[in-house]
C-alpha cells in the first residue's frame, strides 16, 4: 500500500503542475488587472506598482518566479489585502471551510446511505419511487439556487434561522443543508443501485439460506459490499462540496476561503486566486487518493501492486 501511495503521489505532481500553469496564464491573459480601477491611476504610480509586484516582467519569468516561491511554501502577497500574505489568509479561512465541508459530507453520507438502503429494501414500492424522485430533484437543482431559496423561506419569511454569520450552531444549518443536498441525492441513488445488486448476489442468498437474521446479513455481508461504489464516488463528491462551498460561503457570509476567492476574482487579485486554486487542487487530489486507499480496505480483492 505504501508503494501504491507513493506512486499515486508522484503521478499527482504533474497534474497539479498543469492546474497551476493553466490557472496562471488564464488569469494573466484575462482583461483588466489588479490595479485597474474606475478612477484612472497615474502612469508613474501604476508603473511603480507593477514593478513592486514583478508584473512588468515577461510572463514566463513571472511564472518561473511563482513556481520558485511555491516550492518554498509561499503563495505570494495579496494585491487586495495589504500587508497580508496569501498563505496567511488561506490558513485563516481554511478551518471554517473545513468545518463546513466536513459537516456537509458527513450529513450527506448519513442521510444518503440511509435513504439508499431503505429504498433498496423497499424496491418498486411507493417509498422507493418517492425517494428516488426527490433524489432526482436534488441532483437537478444546483446549490446556488437552493441556498437563496432556503434563505428566503427559513431566514426571511419564517425567521427560524439566521441567514449569515458563523460560530453559533444555528448558523450551520442552512449552509450545510444547501451544500449537501445534491450529494445526498447522488449518494442515495448510487447506494440503492449497488444495494439491489448485492442483495441479488449468490453469497447473500446463501447467508439467508443458512438462517442468519436479516440484520446480520445486511450488516456483515450486504452493506459493506454495497459501499464500494459510494467510496469511489467520495472523491468527486468532496470535489463538488469544495467547489460548491465557494458560492455558499459568499451567500451566507461565512468567513472561509470561498469569500477570499470570490473577492479576489472580482478584483483580479492574481496571487489570491492562484493560491486558492492550487490549494483546492491539491486538496482534491489528496482526497481522491484517500478514497482509493479506502476502497482497498473495504474490498480484499483489490491489490496495490
Amino acid at each position: 500500500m505504501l508503494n501504491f501511495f507513493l506512486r499515486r503521489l508522484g503521478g499527482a505532481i504533474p497534474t497539479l503542475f498543469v492546474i497551476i500553469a493553466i490557472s496562471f496564464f488564464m488569469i494573466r491573459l484575462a482583461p483588466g488587472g489588479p490595479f485597474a480601477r474606475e478612477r484612472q491611476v497615474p502612469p508613474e504610480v501604476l508603473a511603480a506598482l507593477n514593478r513592486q509586484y514583478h508584473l512588468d516582467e515577461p510572463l514566463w519569468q513571472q511564472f518561473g518566479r511563482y513556481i520558485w516561491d511555491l516550492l518554498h511554501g509561499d503563495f505570494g502577497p495579496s494585491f487586495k489585502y495589504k500587508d497580508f500574505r496569501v498563505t496567511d489568509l488561506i490558513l485563516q479561512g481554511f478551518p471554517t471551510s473545513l468545518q463546513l465541508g466536513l459537516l456537509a459530507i458527513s450529513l450527506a453520507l448519513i442521510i444518503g446511505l440511509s435513504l439508499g438502503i431503505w429504498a433498496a429494501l423497499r424496491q418498486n414500492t411507493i417509498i422507493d419511487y418517492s425517494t428516488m424522485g426527490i433524489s432526482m430533484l436534488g441532483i437537478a437543482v444546483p446549490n446556488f439556487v437552493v441556498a437563496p431559496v432556503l434563505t428566503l423561506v427559513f431566514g426571511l419569511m419564517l425567521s427560524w434561522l439566521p441567514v449569515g454569520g458563523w460560530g453559533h450552531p444555528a448558523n450551520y444549518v442552512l449552509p450545510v443543508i444547501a451544500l449537501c443536498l445534491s450529494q445526498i441525492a447522488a449518494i442515495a441513488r448510487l447506494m440503492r443501485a449497488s444495494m439491489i445488486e448485492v442483495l441479488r448476489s449468490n453469497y447473500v442468498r446463501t447467508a439467508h439460506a443458512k438462517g442468519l437474521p436479516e440484520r446480520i446479513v445486511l450488516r456483515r455481508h450486504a452493506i459493506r459490499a454495497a459501499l464500494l461504489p459510494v467510496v469511489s464516488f467520495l472523491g468527486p463528491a468532496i470535489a463538488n462540496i469544495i467547489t460548491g462551498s465557494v458560492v455558499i460561503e459568499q451567500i451566507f457570509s461565512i468567513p472561509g476561503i470561498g469569500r477570499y476567492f470570490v473577492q479576489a476574482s472580482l478584483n483580479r487579485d492574481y496571487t489570491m486566486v492562484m493560491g486558492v486554486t492550487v490549494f483546492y487542487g491539491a486538496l482534491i487530489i489528496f482526497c481522491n487518493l484517500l478514497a482509493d486507499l479506502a476502497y482497498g480496505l473495504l474490498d480484499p480483492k483489490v491489490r496495490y501492486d
Side-chain angles (χ1 to χ4, degrees), residues 137-210:
L137 183 64
I139 294 174
V141 181
N143 55 23
F144 59 81
V145 175
V146 173
V149 172
L150 292 177
T151 301
L152 178 63
V153 175
F154 296 101
L156 300 180
M157 295 176 61
L158 299 177
S159 299
W160 288 354
L161 295 166
V163 297
W166 195 252
H168 192 274
N171 296 124
Y172 303 164
V173 178
L174 292 182
V176 169
I177 292 176
L179 190 56
C180 74
L181 273 181
S182 61
Q183 302 309 316
I184 290 175
I187 291 173
R189 292 185 63 81
L190 190 60
M191 187 64 185
R192 173 190 177 274
S194 178
M195 193 72 179
I196 289 174
E197 183 179 355
V198 170
L199 290 175
R200 294 173 178 172
S201 60
N202 292 330
Y203 67 89
V204 172
R205 292 197 187 104
T206 302
H208 282 299
K210 290 180 178 179

Side-chain angles (χ1 to χ4, degrees):
M1 183 180 292
L2 179 60
N3 290 333
F4 172 80
F5 178 83
L6 294 176
R7 287 199 308 270
R8 286 296 305 273
L9 196 61
I13 294 176
T15 303
L16 189 59
F17 179 81
V18 171
I19 293 173
I20 295 171
I22 292 176
S23 303
F24 182 90
F25 289 106
M26 281 185 66
I27 192 171
R28 287 300 200 283
L29 297 175
F35 307 117
R37 299 289 186 271
E38 294 181 2
R39 185 176 179 180
Q40 188 67 28
V41 180
E44 59 274 12
V45 175
L46 183 60
L49 288 171
N50 287 332
R51 186 167 55 253
Q52 178 183 351
Y53 291 101
H54 306 288
L55 297 178
D56 57 341
E57 298 175 353
L59 273 180
W60 66 267
Q61 193 170 344
Q62 294 181 46
F63 182 67
R65 184 186 298 276
Y66 184 79
I67 293 296
W68 177 255
D69 291 339
L70 202 59
L71 291 175
H72 292 80
D74 184 11
F75 287 110
S78 172
F79 295 162
K80 175 177 172 57
Y81 301 95
K82 303 300 181 183
D83 302 324
F84 279 97
R85 309 293 291 182
V86 172
T87 306
D88 298 331
L89 294 174
I90 290 177
L91 292 177
Q92 179 180 323
F94 179 62
T96 300
S97 297
L98 179 63
Q99 188 178 15
L100 175 62
L102 288 177
L103 288 172
I105 194 65
S106 301
L107 187 62
L109 281 172
I110 293 172
I111 299 179
L113 293 177
S114 301
L115 290 177
I117 294 172
W118 192 30
L121 295 177
R122 304 291 187 274
Q123 186 183 5
N124 297 328
T125 65
I126 187 63
I127 294 175
D128 183 20
Y129 294 145
S130 59
T131 302
M132 291 303 102
I134 296 173
S135 297
M136 281 300 299
L137 183 64
I139 294 174
V141 181
N143 55 23
F144 59 81
V145 175
V146 173
V149 172
L150 292 177
T151 301
L152 178 63
V153 175
F154 296 101
L156 300 180
M157 295 176 61
L158 299 177
S159 299
W160 288 354
L161 295 166
V163 297
W166 195 252
H168 192 274
N171 296 124
Y172 303 164
V173 178
L174 292 182
V176 169
I177 292 176
L179 190 56
C180 74
L181 273 181
S182 61
Q183 302 309 316
I184 290 175
I187 291 173
R189 292 185 63 81
L190 190 60
M191 187 64 185
R192 173 190 177 274
S194 178
M195 193 72 179
I196 289 174
E197 183 179 355
V198 170
L199 290 175
R200 294 173 178 172
S201 60
N202 292 330
Y203 67 89
V204 172
R205 292 197 187 104
T206 302
H208 282 299
K210 290 180 178 179
L212 291 177
E214 181 74 13
R215 58 183 180 83
I216 299 296
V217 174
L218 291 176
R219 188 175 70 247
R220 292 186 181 178
H221 301 283
I223 294 179
R224 180 173 178 176
L227 280 174
L228 294 177
V230 177
V231 171
S232 299
F233 175 73
L234 279 182
I238 292 173
N240 288 332
I241 283 181
I242 289 175
T243 54
S245 67
V246 172
V247 179
I248 296 300
E249 288 176 14
Q250 184 71 11
I251 293 175
F252 291 101
S253 301
I254 298 174
I257 300 179
R259 178 186 61 177
Y260 294 128
F261 182 79
V262 173
Q263 292 299 320
S265 301
L266 296 175
N267 292 282
R268 294 292 192 273
D269 190 345
Y270 293 161
T271 50
M272 191 69 216
V273 173
M274 284 295 303
V276 176
T277 302
V278 174
F279 182 78
Y280 274 166
L283 187 60
I284 291 171
I285 291 172
F286 181 72
C287 289
N288 279 318
L289 176 57
L290 290 183
D292 290 342
L293 295 176
Y295 190 97
L297 293 176
L298 286 172
D299 189 356
K301 294 182 292 183
V302 172
R303 294 292 179 266
Y304 292 110
D305 51 355

